[in-house]
Amino acid sequence: MKVAVLAGGVGAARFLRGVVAAVDPAGVTAIGNVGDDLEILGLSVSPDLDSVLYALAGRSDEVRGWGRADETWNALESVSELGGDDWFRLGDRDLGLHLVRSEALRRGEPLSAVTARLAAALGVELTLLPATDDRLRTIVETRAGAFSFQEWFVARGHRDEVDRLHFDGADSAAPAPGVLAALDEADVILIAPSNPFVSIGPILAVKAIREALENRRAPAVAVSPLIGGRAVKGPADAMMTRLAGGTAPRQVADCYKGLIDALVIDEADADGAEIPGVRTIVTRTLMDDADGRLRVAEAALEGAAALR
Amino acid sequence: MKVAVLAGGVGAARFLRGVVAAVDPAGVTAIGNVGDDLEILGLSVSPDLDSVLYALAGRSDEVRGWGRADETWNALESVSELGGDDWFRLGDRDLGLHLVRSEALRRGEPLSAVTARLAAALGVELTLLPATDDRLRTIVETRAGAFSFQEWFVARGHRDEVDRLHFDGADSAAPAPGVLAALDEADVILIAPSNPFVSIGPILAVKAIREALENRRAPAVAVSPLIGGRAVKGPADAMMTRLAGGTAPRQVADCYKGLIDALVIDEADADGAEIPGVRTIVTRTLMDDADGRLRVAEAALEGAAALR
């Protein structure tokens, strides 16, 4: 079975582990967010792609919830001591990946090609594609000014209320090689339980990807990132409240208007959750262990199968 | 007292610790070798400057003999796993410095300015200047081909006999700001116990520096890097044998013909060590502790004082 998954960071990484437990990884293509990529200390960092890589390679730190397991922080400590940019947490093992990727990009290798090499080296079996090889950056507009995503999220601790988002470079960004084919050939299209605005939004900002979803032949199922109207982690609920008018399933579905056929929601959100034109699939969506990841993946896949 | 010291890597770093124990560090300027600098993984690495920085900051690993104390190697392990360039040993703490320096150089800051900032951040009291801010690279010519210094030294384990050296960029390299003033204003000029060919040679390949030594007003004293005709570490003895015809004090002095007034040699090399035009100063030159470092520095400084 061929499955295409639009994927953000940590939540998507967990969901994808469920998907590859449910179906053959060889048929799974994850289309990853690059809107929160950044350049720091001369390095090209792709936090969401790396969350997927590390999780699928079994290298992620499950307790901290991000970054690599068995991580150390000595390089950054040295950067701090020497007055360098130390606001973005880069661990030593993680740095090794950024060094390899940054050098390859500087040599002119496209991000999709580097990502494929890194995934192969780490033993990741699904196909991970960046949404685009072109530069695309999420800009968060707030009363305090416009910030790059990481500046807003990490450096300023996402304390500024978001008035608007825009995706720098999206107008001219082309889907990375393989993205449109994956969406076209998919038996099922899934949208991972990621922040609709800053994780999935940048992917859908690539016009040809949005059009591919609008004109999909396969059923598309999104998984809500909210449980009881709250984000498991991060600012999704605050952004939904401010930018979508609320945190009910209907508002999540509205973020994907015309792009999905069904929405997987948590039991806690099931009461009165009818959404015109979108089927709701109710399960427990917390993915805090392998059973949970598989349950959510199977709910989405079975929901899609029922729609075919 | 003002002291200018031409300095290579680890041997020079030990000697400089002796010099700053003997005289006020505020008057000491080290002029460092950049011929063995390299670019790897997108980083600009200056191994000799860093050996001096780490030693003078009390951060060097005295057991391993190079690099930083309390070092870890997780980034490089990750680079290896991902198929990146891993032949040059970069520790995690060391990497932090390379990241900060490389970013500054990429922004257009001269190496001398970055080095001054790093030295200040590490609490190094002497002035450390690179011989030049321009690109200057030691190229080692062997029967197997021509190699950059680190390629020959590290990647090939200095197994190829050296036929000739040349210093790429030396013809157009200008002394870094402060270098000529330090040599001009010095009460004493010292040449540290470093490899005359690959550590001091690149510094002297900068024409204006060589001329400043030729036309010196202050006495100049070199310290031989050989003990009993053998290098304490590294290939200096093999290179002396092949390129200078032997490892006696006379041959060391010949490497600095017209540039020094005295040579500090070890007791083991004292027999029949008369050198026309160069006074010999005999002491025990092994610097394996603070006493040894101070002894060698004082021998050189007192030898210079006797010449004034």
Side-chain angles (χ1 to χ4, degrees):
Chain A
M1 183 160 80
K2 293 198 163 177
V3 184
V5 188
L6 307 199
V10 172
R14 290 194 178 149
F15 178 65
L16 284 165
R17 288 179 70 187
V19 173
V20 297
V23 302
D24 182 355
V28 179
T29 300
I31 299 164
N33 172 35
V34 295
D36 57 359
D37 287 10
L38 73 159
E39 284 78 43
I40 188 159
L41 292 167
L43 300 170
S44 298
V45 182
S46 295
D48 276 4
L49 296 183
D50 296 347
S51 290
V52 173
L53 282 179
Y54 293 150
L56 274 290
R59 314 289 175 99
S60 52
D61 189 307
E62 295 299 317
V63 178
R64 198 190 315 115
W66 57 273
R68 285 195 59 156
D70 300 319
E71 191 56 290
T72 55
W73 308 89
N74 292 324
L76 200 70
E77 190 178 301
S78 167
V79 167
S80 278
E81 183 182 20
L82 298 170
D85 261 357
D86 60 355
W87 60 271
F88 194 82
R89 302 296 299 166
L90 295 169
D92 296 326
R93 294 182 190 279
D94 192 33
L95 261 175
L97 184 146
H98 303 317
L99 285 166
V100 172
R101 174 170 44 214
S102 303
E103 203 199 9
L105 293 174
R106 226 175 272 127
R107 274 200 317 263
E109 194 173 349
L111 180 59
S112 54
V114 190
T115 305
R117 280 203 294 122
L118 296 173
L122 289 167
V124 171
E125 294 176 293
L126 62 67
T127 301
L128 174 61
L129 300 174
T132 178
D133 280 334
D134 299 324
R135 186 185 171 86
L136 186 160
R137 291 290 182 278
T138 301
I139 306 295
V140 181
E141 298 180 1
T142 76
R143 197 176 285 189
F147 304 104
S148 71
F149 177 77
Q150 299 296 353
E151 203 181 346
W152 171 76
F153 187 71
V154 178
R156 300 178 64 88
H158 53 85
R159 65 173 183 264
D160 314 280
E161 282 192 321
V162 179
D163 294 327
R164 216 173 74 89
L165 294 160
H166 80 262
F167 303 103
D168 213 27
D171 288 348
S172 56
V179 167
L180 294 184
L183 291 169
D184 185 53
E185 293 163 13
D187 300 303
V188 184
I189 297 170
L190 303 176
I191 298 181
S194 301
N195 185 314
F197 293 99
V198 295
S199 298
I200 304 299
I203 304 173
L204 295 173
V206 178
K207 205 176 158 211
I209 297 180
R210 174 174 283 274
E211 287 173 354
L213 259 80
E214 285 169 350
N215 304 321
R216 67 195 175 278
R217 295 184 293 118
V221 179
V223 180
S224 170
L226 303 180
I227 299 181
R230 303 296 302 263
V232 175
K233 213 185 143 194
D237 46 7
M239 295 182 84
M240 290 293 301
T241 300
R242 192 164 169 86
L243 300 176
T247 61
R250 184 171 185 147
Q251 278 121 356
V252 175
D254 276 351
C255 294
Y256 302 129
K257 214 179 190 67
L259 307 179
I260 58 170
D261 304 295
L263 179 69
V264 176
I265 61 173
D266 192 79
E267 290 172 352
D269 302 292
D271 273 359
E274 285 79 39
I275 307 166
V278 173
R279 192 177 296 194
T280 52
I281 301 159
V282 178
T283 188
R284 280 174 296 123
T285 60
L286 191 66
M287 299 180 290
D288 52 0
D289 59 14
D291 284 349
R293 294 189 292 263
L294 184 60
R295 181 181 62 240
V296 177
E298 284 182 338
L301 290 163
E302 286 162 15
L307 287 160
R308 277 196 283 184
Chain B
M1 184 159 82
K2 293 198 164 179
V3 184
V5 187
L6 306 200
V10 172
R14 289 193 180 151
F15 178 66
L16 284 165
R17 288 179 72 187
V19 172
V20 297
V23 302
D24 182 354
V28 178
T29 300
I31 299 164
N33 172 35
V34 295
D36 58 358
D37 287 10
L38 73 159
E39 284 78 42
I40 187 158
L41 293 167
L43 300 169
S44 298
V45 182
S46 295
D48 277 4
L49 297 182
D50 296 346
S51 290
V52 173
L53 282 179
Y54 293 150
L56 275 290
R59 314 290 175 98
S60 52
D61 189 306
E62 297 297 317
V63 178
R64 198 190 316 117
W66 57 273
R68 285 195 59 156
D70 300 318
E71 190 57 291
T72 54
W73 307 89
N74 292 324
L76 199 71
E77 190 178 301
S78 167
V79 166
S80 277
E81 183 183 21
L82 299 170
D85 261 356
D86 61 355
W87 60 270
F88 194 81
R89 302 295 300 164
L90 295 169
D92 296 326
R93 293 183 192 277
D94 192 34
L95 260 176
L97 184 147
H98 303 317
L99 286 166
V100 172
R101 174 170 44 213
S102 303
E103 203 200 8
L105 293 175
R106 224 175 274 129
R107 273 200 318 263
E109 195 175 349
L111 180 59
S112 54
V114 190
T115 304
R117 280 204 295 121
L118 297 173
L122 288 167
V124 172
E125 293 177 292
L126 62 67
T127 301
L128 174 61
L129 301 174
T132 179
D133 279 336
D134 299 324
R135 187 185 169 86
L136 186 160
R137 291 290 183 276
T138 301
I139 305 295
V140 181
E141 298 180 2
T142 74
R143 196 177 285 189
F147 304 104
S148 72
F149 177 78
Q150 299 296 353
E151 204 182 346
W152 172 76
F153 187 71
V154 178
R156 300 179 64 88
H158 53 85
R159 65 172 183 266
D160 313 281
E161 282 192 322
V162 179
D163 293 327
R164 215 172 74 90
L165 294 159
H166 80 262
F167 303 104
D168 212 27
D171 288 348
S172 57
V179 167
L180 294 185
L183 291 169
D184 185 53
E185 292 162 15
D187 300 302
V188 184
I189 298 170
L190 303 176
I191 298 180
S194 299
N195 185 314
F197 293 99
V198 295
S199 298
I200 303 299
I203 304 174
L204 295 173
V206 178
K207 204 175 159 214
I209 296 181
R210 173 175 284 274
E211 287 172 355
L213 259 82
E214 284 169 350
N215 304 321
R216 68 195 173 279
R217 295 184 293 118
V221 178
V223 180
S224 171
L226 303 181
I227 299 181
R230 303 295 303 263
V232 176
K233 214 185 141 192
D237 46 6
M239 294 182 83
M240 289 292 303
T241 301
R242 191 165 169 85
L243 299 176
T247 61
R250 184 173 183 143
Q251 278 121 357
V252 175
D254 276 350
C255 293
Y256 302 130
K257 214 180 193 67
L259 306 178
I260 59 170
D261 304 294
L263 180 69
V264 177
I265 61 173
D266 192 79
E267 290 172 352
D269 301 294
D271 274 359
E274 286 79 39
I275 307 167
V278 174
R279 191 178 296 194
T280 52
I281 301 159
V282 178
T283 188
R284 279 174 297 125
T285 60
L286 192 66
M287 298 180 291
D288 53 359
D289 58 15
D291 284 349
R293 294 190 291 264
L294 184 60
R295 182 180 60 240
V296 176
E298 285 183 336
L301 290 164
E302 287 163 14
L307 287 161
R308 276 198 280 184

